[in-house]
Amino acid sequence: MPSSDAELPEVAALARDLIRFDTTNHGGGRAAGEREAAEYVGAYLETLGLKAEFYEPVPRRTNVMARVPGRDSDKPALVLHGHLDVVPAIAEDWSVDPFAGVVKNGMLWGRGAVDMKNMDAMILTSVADVLRSGEQPERDLVLAFFADEENGGVEGSALVVRDRPEWFTGATEAISEVGGYSIPLGDRHAYLLQVGEKALIWIRLVARGRAAHGSKLHDDNAVTRLAEAVAALGRTAWPVTLTDTSREMSERLAELTGRDAGDPDAVAAATGAASGFLRSTLRTTTNPTGLVAGYKHNVIPDRAEALIDVRALPGTEEAALADIRRIVGDGVEVEVVHQDIGLEVPFSGDLVDAMVAALGRHDPGAPVVPYLMGGGTDNKALASLGIAGYGFAPLRLPSDLDFTGMFHGVDERVPIDALVFGQAVLTDLLRTY
């Protein structure tokens, strides 16, 4: 149960407590582990009269699930899921301790406040709202909290769907992170509902050359060859390519902002701080994220490596890799370290209608716009079970808060009143869908 704080709403206290568990995930199997956070979630679920089930396929990489019976078990079950791990935080770069769960200026600060211990807390407290009132949700709910999402779910959701598919029996749809939040549109705002995700392709570039003394005139330098390839790839201006979702997003935002729908970049620019996030959904992106080479200042190494985070539009994965190989040239190897799938589901149907209606009851008149997210979630693993995933972590945000910029950023924080809003919207959805 959340630690006591009489002035803090339960949803914020729960999120704060989760932030205080250091579940840092460095990737590649190097992680603090989610066990204590999962046990905390499991204990909370038990206080609601639910049975928590745990699965730890890799030591300390703990996943937890509970099933909530609905009023109509003949209806397909709905999955509400989150992840308990977070990306690393360099403490000296922050103005607060990233794992202290600091509350100040009406906001909860810490690693995971945005991605995604905020949504974990909203899921738990919205279910608590329903059950504590003596009610049941409309349909069965599957509550799942995964490990290792920040490493592509390799030691988390991928193993859960492989080894514990029975957890999701009867489920056809899922709700998770990175959607349902508000974005500024001049003097008004709209909500983004995530109905798609780009494919994740993590690659390693490897350049080889001859080792030599650092003082030599040397024309076979692996570091030089790698640097040229990294610069070429990092500076590539990938063209705008609209999917069904991003086309509909651009058209709807153009109507709301008065911008030209024929210029998707200009339309995205009208969304203020969210524009960088949205522009990335319109094209492939290839961002260098790491370099490894050399072992002494006066030794030219025979090998140099770079890590590139590639996000390709759904269905363009192989074409993107072919383009990348062409851009870096024959002298640099392209190794695929991890690759998953892109997703796109319709912005229509009973669940979409219910999510839009729930937002409308709590923020009347605010439009809801579909979008294709540049990143990825555990919805990709659930897709292998035929479950259609959406991003719906509803937050009504201040227009001057760069919310999307805080994903994996410094001084990550979320307004407490936004958490309360999200809890109320999710509770409404669970009672009506």
Side-chain angles (χ1 to χ4, degrees), residues 276-351:
F277 206 69
L278 294 186
R279 289 186 66 219
S280 72
T281 73
L282 305 174
R283 48 176 56 81
T284 292
T285 57
T286 49
N287 285 309
T289 55
L291 295 167
V292 179
Y295 52 90
K296 195 173 187 299
H297 211 133
N298 62 348
V299 178
I300 298 171
D302 62 0
R303 179 186 175 101
E305 301 179 0
L307 302 179
I308 312 292
D309 189 334
V310 181
R311 306 295 172 125
L313 296 169
T316 70
E317 295 90 336
E318 295 310 312
L321 283 171
D323 283 337
I324 287 167
R325 291 186 173 96
R326 174 183 54 79
I327 291 166
V328 302
D330 294 336
V332 176
E333 301 169 27
V334 177
E335 299 178 357
V336 176
V337 177
H338 177 70
Q339 181 174 351
D340 63 24
I341 58 173
L343 298 176
E344 203 164 15
V345 294
F347 183 61
S348 61
D350 292 343
L351 177 56

Side-chain angles (χ1 to χ4, degrees), residues 12-79:
L14 202 62
R16 176 202 57 194
D17 288 357
L18 288 171
I19 288 169
R20 289 174 175 175
F21 293 104
D22 183 352
T23 54
T24 297
N25 188 351
H26 293 275
R30 297 179 300 114
E34 299 83 0
R35 182 183 292 166
E36 289 77 18
E39 290 172 344
Y40 174 93
V41 169
Y44 185 89
L45 293 169
E46 297 278 356
T47 69
L48 302 179
L50 302 172
K51 179 184 178 182
E53 297 185 36
F54 297 88
Y55 181 52
E56 190 175 283
V58 177
R60 294 194 51 77
R61 311 313 302 275
T62 314
N63 307 271
V64 58
M65 183 279 297
R67 196 173 188 104
V68 185
R71 294 191 296 268
D72 187 351
S73 59
D74 289 334
K75 289 185 175 181
L78 175 66
V79 182

Side-chain angles (χ1 to χ4, degrees), residues 32-356:
E34 299 83 0
R35 182 183 292 166
E36 289 77 18
E39 290 172 344
Y40 174 93
V41 169
Y44 185 89
L45 293 169
E46 297 278 356
T47 69
L48 302 179
L50 302 172
K51 179 184 178 182
E53 297 185 36
F54 297 88
Y55 181 52
E56 190 175 283
V58 177
R60 294 194 51 77
R61 311 313 302 275
T62 314
N63 307 271
V64 58
M65 183 279 297
R67 196 173 188 104
V68 185
R71 294 191 296 268
D72 187 351
S73 59
D74 289 334
K75 289 185 175 181
L78 175 66
V79 182
L80 287 86
H81 65 96
H83 62 84
L84 296 172
D85 62 323
V86 296
V87 296
I90 308 301
E92 53 265 34
D93 294 341
W94 287 54
S95 63
V96 299
D97 181 340
F99 296 104
V102 172
V103 175
K104 68 173 184 175
N105 302 327
M107 295 193 182
L108 173 64
W109 299 58
R111 179 60 89 210
V114 167
D115 185 11
M116 66 168 291
K117 292 176 177 179
N118 60 337
M119 178 58 167
D120 294 334
M122 289 193 292
I123 290 171
L124 291 168
T125 51
S126 63
V127 171
D129 282 345
V130 174
L131 297 182
R132 288 171 182 165
S133 67
E135 302 176 55
Q136 287 180 283
E138 177 64 22
R139 64 190 64 227
D140 284 7
L141 304 178
V142 178
L143 312 179
F145 300 87
F146 295 115
D148 202 42
E149 191 274 347
E150 297 294 359
N151 185 47
V154 174
E155 295 185 343
S157 59
L159 299 182
V160 173
V161 300
R162 185 192 71 184
D163 301 336
R164 294 291 186 273
E166 68 276 8
W167 280 9
F168 309 100
T169 298
T172 58
E173 295 168 318
I175 291 172
S176 190
E177 59 177 331
V178 204
Y181 57 90
S182 65
I183 59 170
L185 299 176
D187 58 357
R188 62 187 303 192
H189 64 273
Y191 289 90
L192 293 177
L193 179 57
Q194 190 256 100
V195 298
E197 304 178 12
K198 291 167 73 177
L200 179 155
I201 311 173
W202 283 337
I203 63 173
R204 179 184 292 113
L205 304 183
V206 180
R208 303 177 191 276
R210 294 196 318 275
H213 195 287
S215 66
K216 286 190 63 177
L217 181 65
H218 194 65
D219 61 358
D220 192 13
N221 190 311
V223 176
T224 302
R225 186 170 293 120
L226 179 74
E228 291 169 343
V230 169
L233 191 55
R235 291 177 177 148
T236 294
W238 295 90
V240 169
T241 305
L242 299 182
T243 69
D244 290 343
T245 299
S246 51
R247 181 176 294 104
E248 185 171 0
M249 178 194 75
S250 295
E251 291 172 352
R252 290 188 180 222
L253 288 177
E255 292 173 2
L256 294 169
T257 62
R259 299 294 180 99
D260 178 7
D263 187 348
D265 271 328
V267 172
T271 64
S275 61
F277 206 69
L278 294 186
R279 289 186 66 219
S280 72
T281 73
L282 305 174
R283 48 176 56 81
T284 292
T285 57
T286 49
N287 285 309
T289 55
L291 295 167
V292 179
Y295 52 90
K296 195 173 187 299
H297 211 133
N298 62 348
V299 178
I300 298 171
D302 62 0
R303 179 186 175 101
E305 301 179 0
L307 302 179
I308 312 292
D309 189 334
V310 181
R311 306 295 172 125
L313 296 169
T316 70
E317 295 90 336
E318 295 310 312
L321 283 171
D323 283 337
I324 287 167
R325 291 186 173 96
R326 174 183 54 79
I327 291 166
V328 302
D330 294 336
V332 176
E333 301 169 27
V334 177
E335 299 178 357
V336 176
V337 177
H338 177 70
Q339 181 174 351
D340 63 24
I341 58 173
L343 298 176
E344 203 164 15
V345 294
F347 183 61
S348 61
D350 292 343
L351 177 56
V352 169
D353 291 344
M355 290 187 286
V356 171

Side-chain angles (χ1 to χ4, degrees), residues 361-402:
R361 286 189 289 272
H362 293 267
D363 193 355
V368 180
V369 177
Y371 89 111
L372 176 78
M373 187 180 63
T377 75
D378 287 315
N379 277 328
K380 292 179 177 180
L382 294 175
S384 67
L385 300 177
I387 297 171
Y390 295 84
F392 189 66
L395 297 167
R396 183 169 55 196
L397 300 165
S399 60
D400 60 350
L401 180 68
D402 184 7

